[in-house]
Amino acid sequence: MADSNGLLAGKTGVISGALDPDSIAWALAEAAHREGARFVLTNAPVARRFGRLDELAEATGGSPVVYADATADDELEDLFAQATDALGGPLDFVVHSIGMGMNVRKGRAYEELKYEWYQKSLDISAISLHRMVRAALAKDALADGGSVLAMSYIGAQRVFSEYSEMGDAKALLESIVRSFGYRLGRRGIRINAVSQSPTKTTAGGGIQGFDAMFDFAEKVAPLGNADQASCADYCVTLLSDYTRMVTMQTLYHDGGFSAMGISDALIEGMYGDVLGGDDA
Ligand code: NAI
């Protein structure tokens, strides 16, 4: 883990989506705490049963925990009301690190999506970002100059066969980032999506073929796959004042994967040592 640079000293926020120590949001909360932020942790009420948020709350200096379903507007409004109360005023950042693909999880093929589940997947994984920002605005919970961050994946732009409905969800999420970014910009508030490498987490593991996606990306990306801790360090910069003029972007944190086509490591993985060169 990086040393503290006090990048978020004095800043307050809400961090969603930390379920267990593998969660991207878990690492992000640890990094934000290290950099001096104070925040409320939130997750779905059902996570109270099998999540480990209390541990994280303790490890980050007694962060308040407020459970809220990110698809329930009243619960989100209550979350932001409680967060501004607990942290003493409008927040400097909001982190959306929430995703779930119901058809993916239940092994239902894209051609045969169950629409009820599809809608739920879009609501949980994408529309919830709109709901969160809207609830925060309704409660006057976003400070001018604040930063909103959501987690995405390159399946928003390109087809990764097993990613299925989640590609649609991430495309919508990234579009919401742009559409809300325009509106939030009037108040100096920015919003971005970080498009992260495949990462070994509960949500990641729920995708069939995840190990193949992970290994493929590892072979293609010049720097290899980015893990949770490096993602957290990058996210911290996006919550800090150093990125105050960056908004409406999908920012790739993927070891260079998104700029690649074919790599030698991939060819060698498929055909053995046929290249013979001493190239990278
Ligand atoms: P995770 O399983 O640790 O986190 C997903 C979180 O969403 C969990 O904490 C879960 O409780 C929460 N959640 C689900 N339904 C909810 C609801 N109705 N209300 C509130 N919270 C709800 O997995 P991970 O990987 O840390 O996921 C975080 C974000 O990162 C997601 O948006 C995911 O799509 C994204 N991402 C993950 C990648 C991966 O390979 N693991 C790659 C790129 C992006």
Side-chain angles (χ1 to χ4, degrees), residues 84-105:
T84 48
D85 263 8
L87 298 168
L91 312 168
D92 301 300
F93 63 85
V94 173
V95 175
H96 179 284
S97 187
I98 297 170
M100 220 243 290
M102 301 218 12
N103 288 279
V104 167
R105 201 156 262 259

Side-chain angles (χ1 to χ4, degrees), residues 241-255:
D241 293 338
Y242 287 101
T243 53
R244 62 192 173 277
M245 294 304 285
V246 180
T247 193
M248 300 161 72
Q249 303 300 312
T250 293
L251 300 160
Y252 292 95
H253 184 262
D254 63 358

Side-chain angles (χ1 to χ4, degrees), residues 14-267:
V14 163
I15 300 178
S16 66
L19 186 67
D20 57 39
D22 289 335
S23 299
I24 294 168
W26 189 288
L28 177 43
E30 288 179 333
H33 173 64
R34 178 196 75 211
E35 297 297 334
R38 291 182 303 121
F39 43 81
V40 163
L41 294 165
T42 184
N43 209 321
V46 58
R48 200 193 300 260
R49 269 194 285 128
F50 54 88
R52 294 165 58 182
L53 215 43
D54 290 343
E55 265 174 60
L56 181 62
E58 204 180 313
T60 55
S63 305
V65 175
V66 179
Y67 287 95
D69 181 344
T71 64
D73 299 323
D74 53 337
E75 294 183 30
L76 288 174
E77 288 200 8
D78 188 48
L79 160 69
F80 285 108
Q82 288 198 47
T84 48
D85 263 8
L87 298 168
L91 312 168
D92 301 300
F93 63 85
V94 173
V95 175
H96 179 284
S97 187
I98 297 170
M100 220 243 290
M102 301 218 12
N103 288 279
V104 167
R105 201 156 262 259
K106 294 178 191 246
R108 191 106 174 192
Y110 189 77
E111 300 87 324
E112 284 158 21
L113 288 180
K114 188 165 167 182
Y115 294 117
E116 203 186 314
W117 294 345
Y118 186 52
Q119 281 170 355
K120 191 99 186 124
S121 302
L122 297 181
D123 201 8
I124 293 173
S125 310
I127 299 168
S128 61
L129 174 64
H130 194 288
R131 292 183 191 276
M132 274 184 102
V133 174
R134 182 176 179 169
L137 292 175
K139 289 290 159 192
D140 283 329
L142 268 178
D144 290 352
S147 178
V148 180
L149 199 58
M151 300 305 307
S152 196
Y153 178 61
I154 196 172
Q157 283 80 32
R158 302 189 199 160
V159 174
F160 291 78
S161 51
E162 297 295 328
Y163 201 56
S164 186
E165 63 180 338
M166 282 303 288
D168 300 349
K170 291 304 188 192
L172 177 56
L173 180 86
E174 292 181 13
S175 186
I176 291 170
V177 163
R178 287 185 292 273
S179 300
F180 238 138
Y182 164 61
R183 279 125 183 135
L184 292 171
R186 295 175 195 146
R187 287 187 44 205
I189 299 168
R190 59 205 198 279
I191 175 166
N192 294 288
V194 167
S195 185
Q196 161 68 7
S197 295
T199 315
K200 292 184 175 172
T201 64
T202 303
I207 297 161
Q208 285 180 5
F210 174 83
D211 288 345
M213 283 166 74
F214 184 92
D215 292 344
F216 175 77
E218 178 75 14
K219 281 193 168 26
V220 170
L223 297 178
N225 286 330
D227 65 6
Q228 288 89 331
S230 57
C231 183
D233 287 340
Y234 182 51
C235 290
V236 156
T237 68
L238 295 169
L239 304 181
S240 82
D241 293 338
Y242 287 101
T243 53
R244 62 192 173 277
M245 294 304 285
V246 180
T247 193
M248 300 161 72
Q249 303 300 312
T250 293
L251 300 160
Y252 292 95
H253 184 262
D254 63 358
F257 177 85
S258 49
M260 286 295 297
I262 289 177
S263 70
D264 287 0
L266 188 67
I267 292 181

